[in-house]
Amino acid sequence: MILKPLKRFLFLVKLFVHICDNLAMVLLLDGKKTAKKLLDDLKKQIESSSLKIKLATIFDQKNPGSSMYVNMKVKKAAQVGIESEEFKVDESWNTDKVVSLVRKLNDDPTVSGILVQSPLPETVDEKIVFDEISPLKDADGLTAKNQGLLFQDSKIAHALPATPSGVIKLLNEYDFVFSGKQALVIGRSVLFGRPMSLLLVNRDMTVTLAHSKTPKETLIKEAKNADLIIVAVGKAEWFDLQDLKNSAVVIDVGANRKDSKAVGDVNFDEVSKRVAAITPVPGGVGPMTIATLIEQTYNLALEQKRRKISMKKAVITVVGDDKPGIIAAVSTRLSENQINILDVSQTLMDNVFTMSMLVDITKVDDKFQELQNSLKELGKNMSVSIHTQRQEIFDTISKI
Ligand SMILES: Nc1nc(=O)c2c([nH]1)NC[C@@H]1CN(c3ccc(C(=O)N[C@@H](CCC(=O)O)C(=O)O)cc3)C=[N+]21
């Protein structure tokens, strides 16, 4: 008699466990929502900063994926108040031509950030192009300088590769604990796998970086022990290993198309049944990549403004009889001294040549007098008068 209620109770417990087992208990890591939160916050900051921010994008116009992703980035940037300028390249471009374009954008003070969308046409060596971007304008964090700072786990502020950084932000949003845990990253690209594994090592994880030459048995063994599995192999629904920790978190970095639908690198239906949390595609890593790129463009604009304020400037005036070679001689002397010309104006009145230049003397600030004398001497040799003054003097005069 006393056994009956107990049996019934045990049956209910078993039933409950069975139902829980079969319910989709997996937590979806919502990149769309997290990215929106980040961008809403950024929009407010940009509005109150009243900065004029511009992102320049370079991409292969014939690559359908690139056009689509760049369009998405441009649209999201516009929503938070960042302007874009697009530069389309095709296979008629070689590496040198793209490098010249990047250099022009580096020197353009209206451009805050540069994004080179991968892949560029086969006629262009992409890595050379990445490294030509000024680290101060590297919105996607892919230059050797910025990846080197990541390698060093440097305290110096630097842009991070946008996709792996977006993954970290998403995991943080869900309070994922990194330290001491086991990670498996599959894919060793410069854009993603390499920087991703470093970001995790820097957060005290033990990381396995697997790739196309990793034997299947190794992959199976590593996946079984991993607390965090990140898949970036570029093959639709490729990851379908069954033997996983039920506490594992799976991040799907894939951006593939199947029957014109967006699908990831993970077989979602199979894997999501066996783990604790997973990112969906669409709506996972993709939106986080875009939000991170945009946030970094804003950070670059802030840093550029800070440097502009602390920049030391001088005004150089050249007056004398017009003769060929004056401009060339002065600009050569300036570039030998690592001085950048910020602005120039020239006039010729009754054969009297006048030129004024605004220059950046930040690098030679402590040798200002030497510079003054050197230019004065140069003027004497050409029978023109060259006068150099710090710009602060003009600022003070206009205040009086
Ligand atoms: N220098 C460089 N930086 C990149 O960040 C970069 C790149 N090159 N080359 C190509 C990949 C690809 N990529 C994506 C960004 C957003 C989505 C995204 O938001 N996708 C939507 C789905 C869109 C759809 O396909 O319908 C989503 O996941 O919700 C996808 C893919 C950035 N990439």
Side-chain angles (χ1 to χ4, degrees):
M1 271 297 129
I2 201 153
L3 267 175
K4 216 172 174 187
L6 185 66
K7 265 191 181 161
R8 185 170 296 159
F9 174 70
L10 280 175
F11 172 75
L12 286 175
V13 168
K14 273 189 191 156
L15 186 68
F16 180 71
V17 169
H18 177 78
I19 290 170
C20 286
D21 253 9
N22 285 276
L23 269 180
M25 289 294 282
V26 69
L27 170 69
L28 285 184
L29 305 175
D30 193 338
K32 199 172 167 191
K33 192 178 83 191
T34 309
K36 183 172 185 307
K37 225 165 88 178
L38 205 154
L39 289 174
D40 285 347
D41 191 45
L42 201 61
K43 185 177 178 176
K44 285 182 206 135
Q45 287 185 54
I46 291 175
E47 267 166 16
S48 64
S49 77
S50 65
L51 277 174
K52 213 171 139 45
I53 310 173
K54 186 160 86 183
L55 175 66
T57 56
I58 301 177
F59 68 100
D60 178 359
Q61 59 179 330
K62 293 197 177 145
N63 183 310
S66 291
S67 305
M68 182 179 87
Y69 298 135
V70 168
N71 275 338
M72 288 163 61
K73 291 172 181 178
V74 167
K75 214 176 107 197
K76 284 280 177 239
Q79 282 173 13
V80 300
I82 295 181
E83 200 189 313
S84 296
E85 197 172 348
E86 289 167 52
F87 297 89
K88 296 174 180 165
V89 304
D90 57 33
E91 69 283 348
S92 74
W93 289 60
N94 58 17
T95 306
D96 282 351
K97 196 169 169 195
V98 186
V99 162
S100 309
L101 171 60
V102 169
R103 288 190 181 149
K104 205 184 88 203
L105 297 171
N106 284 342
D107 290 339
D108 181 344
T110 69
V111 171
S112 328
I114 302 169
L115 163 72
V116 174
Q117 182 81 5
S118 177
L120 286 179
E122 274 174 16
T123 47
V124 181
D125 187 332
E126 185 171 281
K127 283 184 192 156
I128 293 181
V129 174
F130 285 155
D131 276 339
E132 208 57 48
I133 300 170
S134 158
L136 282 173
K137 295 197 173 182
D138 181 16
D140 228 9
L142 295 177
T143 57
K145 171 80 190 275
N146 284 326
Q147 294 239 40
L149 289 168
L150 166 62
F151 190 95
Q152 294 176 336
D153 195 14
S154 172
K155 297 281 173 290
I156 299 168
H158 56 276
L160 292 168
T163 309
S165 172
V167 168
I168 296 285
K169 287 195 182 114
L170 185 58
L171 288 168
N172 278 337
E173 176 70 18
Y174 288 88
D175 300 318
F176 179 81
V177 179
F178 295 90
S179 183
K181 297 227 198 119
Q182 193 81 24
L184 169 62
V185 178
I186 313 175
R188 57 177 153 178
S189 68
V190 172
L191 246 78
F192 186 79
R194 287 164 203 244
M196 185 74 249
S197 62
L198 283 170
L199 282 166
L200 299 175
V201 168
N202 292 348
R203 281 160 183 74
D204 303 325
M205 290 195 92
T206 305
V207 179
T208 301
L209 181 52
H211 46 75
S212 53
K213 297 290 186 292
T214 303
K216 184 85 187 255
E217 311 84 73
T218 312
L219 205 59
I220 290 170
K221 203 178 84 211
E222 294 290 333
K224 191 176 163 175
N225 292 321
D227 303 300
L228 176 65
I229 300 173
I230 306 187
V231 190
V233 297
K235 290 183 193 145
E237 298 174 329
W238 170 86
F239 184 86
D240 59 359
L241 295 183
Q242 312 282 316
D243 192 6
L244 308 173
K245 278 192 176 179
N246 58 15
S247 59
V249 173
V250 176
I251 304 288
D252 188 346
V253 188
N256 313 291
R257 296 244 139 207
K258 198 178 138 193
D259 309 327
S260 78
K261 263 180 38 195
V263 296
D265 290 352
V266 175
N267 184 329
F268 184 89
D269 292 342
E270 284 303 319
V271 174
S272 61
K273 282 194 271 190
R274 296 181 164 76
V275 296
I278 191 165
T279 57
V281 176
V285 174
M288 292 305 296
T289 299
I290 295 179
T292 304
L293 166 80
I294 292 171
E295 184 187 40
Q296 293 197 140
T297 306
Y298 169 64
N299 288 338
L300 293 173
L302 275 182
E303 175 63 16
Q304 284 154 23
K305 184 185 172 194
R306 203 181 63 75
R307 292 196 182 208
K308 228 175 253 164
I309 289 169
S310 61
M311 189 194 277
K312 299 274 190 234
K313 296 177 197 166
V315 176
I316 301 171
T317 50
V318 182
V319 184
D321 286 344
D322 187 28
K323 56 178 79 67
I326 300 178
I327 301 175
V330 175
S331 31
T332 307
R333 179 66 55 95
L334 293 175
S335 83
E336 284 165 1
N337 285 288
Q338 288 189 290
I339 293 167
N340 237 340
I341 300 171
L342 301 167
D343 211 344
V344 201
S345 87
Q346 318 153 38
T347 48
L348 195 56
M349 283 184 290
D350 218 2
N351 222 34
V352 178
F353 174 77
T354 323
M355 172 167 73
S356 15
M357 276 178 169
L358 182 66
V359 296
D360 171 9
I361 53 162
T362 314
K363 288 188 182 143
V364 289
D365 189 48
D366 50 342
K367 289 180 277 184
F368 182 70
Q369 206 149 33
E370 280 167 47
L371 173 72
Q372 243 176 349
N373 292 337
S374 147
L375 286 170
K376 197 170 177 177
E377 208 54 39
L378 178 71
K380 266 188 196 152
N381 295 341
M382 303 187 73
S383 317
V384 293
S385 122
I386 303 185
H387 193 69
T388 312
Q389 276 183 79
R390 284 183 181 280
Q391 198 211 18
E392 290 129 65
I393 296 175
F394 293 97
D395 287 347
T396 324
I397 291 170
S398 65
K399 272 184 200 126
I400 295 167

